Amino acid sequence: MDAITSQTPSNSLRDRMLQDMTMRGFGEHTQKDYIRHVRRFASFLGKSPDLATIEDLRRFQIDQHERAVGPASINGAVSALRFLFGITLKRPEIEDQRAIGTPFVG
């Protein structure tokens, strides 16, 4: 079960993230994409994304590259995770560009 959509307290994380995106005027499509990216990250971790470490993010990015995930998907994941950690979780040490990576420009 994905941590971002489970019925455990992590469900409130999803709700908070949706509220944060709504307050910032994110469109429905962007909100769905961000939730999808965070859900994939949580599935990769096997735990709630709010427990993630910088090393977890690094492993996730390496995994994306090894699976030949396309640049658009990687960029979307970077943006979603920066939003999650920087805005919703208020964890600037993880939201930092060096921790999550620079979006692919190619």
Side-chain angles (χ1 to χ4, degrees):
M1 181 179 296
D2 294 334
I4 195 79
T5 59
S6 71
Q7 296 304 318
T8 63
S10 294
N11 192 35
S12 64
L13 175 59
R14 179 182 183 277
D15 292 341
R16 282 185 306 175
M17 188 170 173
L18 285 168
Q19 289 168 352
D20 288 340
M21 289 188 286
T22 298
M23 287 188 299
R24 285 161 178 78
F26 285 32
E28 184 178 338
H29 180 75
T30 301
Q31 290 184 25
K32 287 180 180 180
D33 281 350
Y34 274 34
I35 293 297
R36 178 176 42 83
H37 287 298
V38 173
R39 188 180 315 129
R40 285 187 181 152
F41 178 60
S43 179
F44 171 83
L45 287 178
K47 61 185 177 185
S48 178
D50 61 340
L51 302 174
T53 65
I54 291 173
E55 184 59 27
D56 290 331
L57 285 164
R58 183 177 184 281
R59 289 185 311 106
F60 179 65
Q61 289 179 313
I62 290 169
D63 180 70
Q64 285 185 310
H65 285 284
E66 288 175 350
R67 290 185 299 111
V69 173
S73 292
I74 290 174
N75 288 347
V78 166
S79 296
L81 294 173
R82 278 196 184 138
F83 185 88
L84 172 70
F85 289 106
I87 303 298
T88 302
L89 295 175
K90 295 174 180 41
R91 290 182 62 188
E93 78 283 4
I94 291 187
E95 181 259 347
D96 180 41
Q97 178 174 334
R98 290 161 292 178
I100 295 184
T102 304
F104 178 83
V105 184

